[in-house]
């Protein structure tokens, strides 16, 4: 069989595979294609050049199969025993616990503010209200730590989604998780790199 | 001088943050403060009651503060309500996006009561 006949046959097999899979070649039918090519070439071995091509194709197929197997094994390892889901749950409970604690702090602060209204000494009353305001301001931290933790949760969800997608490609029966959507939501910046209110004001007023 | 009886709507998905901002506004002298936990419920409240100021977080789901702002500015009834963003989002593209969407002013977290008062005065007039 001439080279042209072989390549025409291969091309026709490729087109058939594409039509079956709606215009795309998936990972699963990629190795089938390589196998078909190898079978066709080995049936019609004529010269050393083809033997070389066959050898290279066998190597490619072996490496591809090994990559698929290792990636699937790694993915199962990461998803095994809900490891990622448990980590995400722990992080969520950190957010919930800090919120609970800050709520209690604010309850106590409100109680102090109420009591301070009964203080007859004006100076002391004003000092107490300043301290009360300071406590409110300091409790800002819970919002920021919550957002940072949420950022990590979102990244882990995305990572889990990618791993599931990979598994789905390698093994179509796996479930998919969709990644969270973005709307310029980057979360708090690092303490050392975050702009000050004055810098934000400058930027805002000059836009 | 600002009418301290105006209706203010604060929007944040963290209850503690809502409580902090509410308490600070009360300290400044504003007594009619309502709360919403996300953009969608904020929009619902805005349709039911007249507000003279909106203070909103950015980082919320399913509707972000930026989306809420765009919805407010696109609504004939709501478009002129002053809108202050109070957020941890501090990148240049955030500030530009908010300004282009029509935000009245921008506060980065963590913030203090003096900053809040200054921005309120900028948007509403002398307190």
């Amino acid at each position: 069989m001439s080279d042209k006949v072989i390549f025409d046959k291969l091309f026709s097999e490729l087109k058939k595979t594409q039509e079956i899979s709606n215009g795309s070649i998936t990972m699963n039918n990629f190795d089938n294609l390589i196998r078909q090519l190898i079978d066709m070439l080995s049936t019609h071995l004529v010269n050393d050049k083809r033997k070389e091509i066959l050898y290279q194709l066998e190597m490619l197929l072996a490496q591809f199969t090994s990559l698929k197997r290792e990636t699937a094994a790694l993915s199962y390892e990461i998803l095994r025993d809900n490891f990622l889901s448990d980590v995400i749950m722990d992080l969520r409970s950190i957010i919930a616990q800090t919120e609970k604690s800050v709520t209690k702090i604010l309850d106590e602060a409100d109680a102090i503010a109420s009591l301070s209204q009964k203080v007859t000494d004006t100076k002391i009353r004003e000092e107490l209200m300043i301290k009360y305001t300071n406590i409110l301001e300091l409790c800002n931290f819970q919002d920021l730590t919550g957002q940072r933790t949420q950022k990590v949760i979102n990244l882990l969800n995305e990572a889990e989604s990618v791993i599931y997608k990979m598994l789905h490609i390698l093994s179509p029966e796996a479930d998919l998780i969709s990644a969270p959507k973005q709307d310029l939501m980057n979360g708090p910046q690092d303490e050392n790199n975050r702009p000050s209110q004055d810098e934000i004001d400058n930027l805002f007023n000059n836009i | 001088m600002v009418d301290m009886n105006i209706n203010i709507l604060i929007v944040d998905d963290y209850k503690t943050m809502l409580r902090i901002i509410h308490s600070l506004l009360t300290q400044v002298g504003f007594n009619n403060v309502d709360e919403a936990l996300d953009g969608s419920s904020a929009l619902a409240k805005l349709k039911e009651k007249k507000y003279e100021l909106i203070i909103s977080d950015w980082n919320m789901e399913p509707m972000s503060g930026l989306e809420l702002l765009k919805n407010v500015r696109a609504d004939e009834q709501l478009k002129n309500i002053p809108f202050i963003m109070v957020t941890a989002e501090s990148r240049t593209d955030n500030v530009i996006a908010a300004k282009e969407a029509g935000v009245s002013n921008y506060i980065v977290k963590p913030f203090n009561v003096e900053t809040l008062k200054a921005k309120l005065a900028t948007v509403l007039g002398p307190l």
Side-chain angles (χ1 to χ4, degrees):
Chain A
M1 201 184 272
S2 69
D3 286 350
K4 186 181 181 318
V5 170
I6 290 174
F7 284 122
D8 282 347
K9 273 187 104 123
L10 181 65
F11 185 71
S12 138
E13 286 303 316
L14 241 162
K15 286 218 62 128
K16 235 188 279 175
T17 309
Q18 268 191 322
E19 275 152 27
I20 291 166
S21 29
N22 293 320
S24 62
I25 306 283
T26 64
M27 272 212 187
N28 277 335
N29 40 42
F30 178 74
D31 41 6
N32 287 338
L33 270 174
I34 301 293
R35 176 49 58 196
Q36 277 173 32
L37 178 60
I38 291 170
D39 289 344
M40 259 193 283
L41 284 175
S42 58
T43 313
H44 303 284
L45 265 181
V46 173
N47 54 36
D48 286 344
K49 193 169 156 191
R50 278 204 205 156
K51 278 186 195 166
E52 180 58 28
I53 292 171
L54 262 180
Y55 174 72
Q56 292 299 334
L57 285 172
E58 291 280 9
M59 290 295 295
L60 174 68
L61 186 60
Q63 282 175 3
F64 183 73
T65 309
S66 170
L67 174 68
K68 264 176 71 171
R69 197 170 42 238
E70 282 168 28
T71 307
L74 182 62
S75 304
Y76 278 121
E77 190 63 33
I78 291 170
L79 297 171
R80 189 177 56 119
D81 299 332
N82 294 315
F83 166 69
L84 273 180
S85 301
D86 285 348
V87 169
I88 289 167
M89 218 162 63
D90 283 341
L91 290 172
R92 285 204 173 115
S93 78
I94 287 173
I95 296 175
Q97 283 303 314
T98 53
E99 185 174 346
K100 226 168 143 180
S101 300
V102 167
T103 302
K104 286 183 183 164
I105 292 170
L106 291 174
D107 284 343
E108 297 304 315
D110 281 345
I112 291 170
S114 292
L115 281 170
S116 75
Q117 298 309 304
K118 296 178 182 167
V119 172
T120 50
D121 188 321
T122 314
K123 198 161 179 262
I124 294 177
R125 197 167 59 238
E126 280 172 4
E127 282 258 1
L128 281 169
M129 285 315 290
I130 289 171
K131 294 297 175 195
Y132 168 67
T133 306
N134 289 347
I135 292 171
L136 292 180
E137 289 169 5
L138 287 167
C139 285
N140 262 273
F141 84 88
Q142 192 268 330
D143 179 271
L144 293 172
T145 52
Q147 286 194 46
R148 284 186 201 279
T149 310
Q150 188 59 50
K151 203 172 160 180
V152 174
I153 289 171
N154 290 344
L155 283 169
L156 286 173
N157 273 326
E158 227 176 290
E160 201 178 37
S161 172
V162 166
I163 294 167
Y164 269 120
K165 275 181 189 165
M166 250 186 353
L167 259 184
H168 180 72
I169 290 168
L170 297 170
S171 166
E173 61 275 9
D175 290 327
L176 287 182
I177 297 170
S178 57
K181 65 170 187 184
Q182 294 292 317
D183 187 8
L184 285 174
M185 294 192 288
N186 301 295
Q189 289 194 70
D190 177 72
E191 301 278 313
N192 299 317
N193 292 324
R194 189 182 61 214
S196 64
Q197 183 63 51
D198 285 344
E199 283 166 330
I200 293 291
D201 288 346
N202 245 348
L203 170 62
F204 186 83
N205 294 328
N206 288 312
I207 295 170
Chain B
M1 286 291 281
V2 177
D3 176 5
M4 304 308 269
N5 291 317
I6 59 169
N7 292 321
I8 301 176
L9 180 64
I10 50 177
V11 192
D12 201 305
D13 55 350
Y14 277 90
K15 288 181 188 165
T16 47
M17 207 60 219
L18 282 175
R19 188 168 167 178
I20 289 167
I21 297 176
H22 196 146
S23 298
L24 289 174
L25 286 171
T26 306
Q27 276 221 276
V28 172
F30 294 103
N31 297 308
N32 298 330
V33 181
D34 290 338
E35 299 173 4
L37 277 168
D38 58 70
S40 310
S41 53
L43 268 180
K45 284 184 193 279
L46 286 164
K47 302 273 188 199
E48 287 165 10
K49 186 173 165 181
K50 189 171 182 301
Y51 288 94
E52 282 77 28
L53 174 65
I54 303 165
I55 298 175
S56 175
D57 183 24
W58 184 312
N59 213 323
M60 301 182 288
E61 283 186 25
M63 187 188 287
S64 70
L66 182 67
E67 243 182 285
L68 171 62
L69 170 61
K70 287 177 181 174
N71 274 291
V72 164
R73 290 291 178 252
D75 188 305
E76 271 305 308
Q77 309 289 329
L78 310 175
K79 66 182 183 182
N80 294 319
I81 302 176
F83 193 118
I84 298 177
M85 199 76 83
V86 177
T87 173
E89 303 295 342
S90 56
R91 292 169 197 249
T92 304
D93 53 353
N94 289 106
V95 182
I96 291 171
K99 188 93 190 260
E100 284 175 355
V103 83
S104 310
N105 222 308
Y106 202 101
I107 299 175
V108 284
K109 292 173 181 172
F111 64 96
N112 56 38
V113 71
E114 292 310 315
T115 301
L116 179 62
K117 277 160 77 173
K119 299 309 175 194
L120 288 169
T122 308
V123 164
L124 299 172
L127 297 175

